[in-house]
Amino acid sequence: MNAHSIPVLVMAGITLYVGVYHLFLYLRLRRNRWDLTFALTCLVICAYDLVSVGLYNVQSAEEGVVWQRWQVILLGLSGIATLHFVADYTQRVPRRMLLGLTVFYAITSLFHLIDRSALTWLDEASIKHVLLPGDYVLTYYEATPGPAVLVHSAVGLLTFVYAFYVAIKMYRAGERAMAVPLILAMSPFLLCVFNDTAVSSGVGNSL
């Protein structure tokens, strides 16, 4: 395991702790459903971090695509969990949108799990060299995403943008005591999603 994996493992541990804490909080008090959906969001992101560590340590695109597949699936599940958390917390997500995106992510995640055609991953290597602070370079051995993965990622990005928009609406409606923590949490989260999308699509090369 390379040294680049250590910060991600630390983040995975923190996210696991927070997720388990909120899960116990929900099971004990049964007061706020957002404790449950926030816990699920944390646990899915923890799993995504661990899968990312796997991707950091492969030496070929053939190995990398296995971890990439699980990354995309977990991003779909994090989209479901995050949107449900924001819906529970803000009470401002339309039910039809919530149901529609949940069904979309469930179907596409299952499709990515079973499909082995060029719709998901092209038979082309996509080796990226990502610049880290301190002049470190992280090499990704990946496969080139197909159209289904690109659509899935685009919808995921829009979902997180929408969740942030809902938090802003909550703030502007005067519920600042609840909105400010959500905005402060969503801001770096959204920035990371944009950065991750830029790197994975080849637009950016720094992290």
Side-chain angles (χ1 to χ4, degrees):
M1 182 177 295
N2 60 48
H4 302 140
S5 303
I6 296 174
V8 187
L9 288 172
V10 171
M11 289 188 287
I14 294 170
T15 312
L16 176 63
Y17 170 77
V18 174
V20 171
Y21 174 82
H22 278 270
L23 183 59
F24 280 132
L25 196 65
Y26 173 76
L27 293 174
R28 184 173 181 180
L29 301 179
R30 304 275 178 162
R31 185 172 58 196
N32 299 316
R33 189 174 182 271
W34 69 66
D35 282 323
L36 174 61
T37 47
F38 182 69
L40 294 176
T41 301
C42 290
L43 294 175
V44 172
I45 292 173
C46 174
Y48 179 85
D49 289 343
L50 295 176
V51 167
S52 297
V53 170
L55 182 59
Y56 294 168
N57 288 277
V58 300
Q59 297 299 319
S60 70
E62 289 76 15
E63 293 178 78
V65 73
V66 176
W67 298 103
Q68 282 179 275
R69 189 179 304 280
W70 282 106
Q71 275 190 327
V72 172
I73 292 168
L74 289 166
L75 280 176
L77 296 180
S78 72
I80 294 174
T82 301
L83 195 58
H84 277 265
F85 162 65
V86 172
D88 291 337
Y89 190 80
T90 67
Q91 298 296 309
R92 280 177 167 77
V93 178
R95 189 170 182 82
R96 286 187 179 181
M97 175 177 285
L98 188 63
L99 179 61
L101 284 172
T102 299
V103 171
F104 169 81
Y105 284 126
I107 291 174
T108 54
S109 295
L110 180 61
F111 177 76
H112 294 316
L113 179 64
I114 62 178
D115 183 68
R116 294 297 183 271
S117 73
L119 284 173
T120 50
W121 303 103
L122 305 180
D123 191 19
E124 299 174 11
S126 177
I127 300 174
K128 300 184 181 71
H129 303 287
V130 181
L131 305 179
L132 300 173
D135 295 328
Y136 291 105
V137 177
L138 175 63
T139 301
Y140 283 94
Y141 293 92
E142 298 182 332
T144 303
V149 171
L150 294 176
V151 170
H152 184 95
S153 299
V155 174
L157 184 59
L158 291 174
T159 298
F160 291 117
V161 171
Y162 176 74
F164 186 75
Y165 166 73
V166 171
I168 296 295
K169 278 182 64 178
M170 189 180 194
Y171 179 85
R172 295 180 66 182
E175 298 180 58
R176 297 184 178 183
M178 290 187 66
V180 168
L182 183 59
I183 292 170
L184 291 176
M186 287 295 295
S187 296
F189 189 41
L190 188 62
L191 180 64
C192 291
V193 170
F194 270 109
N195 182 253
D196 191 60
T197 302
V199 170
S200 63
S201 63
V203 175
N205 69 338
S206 62
L207 188 65

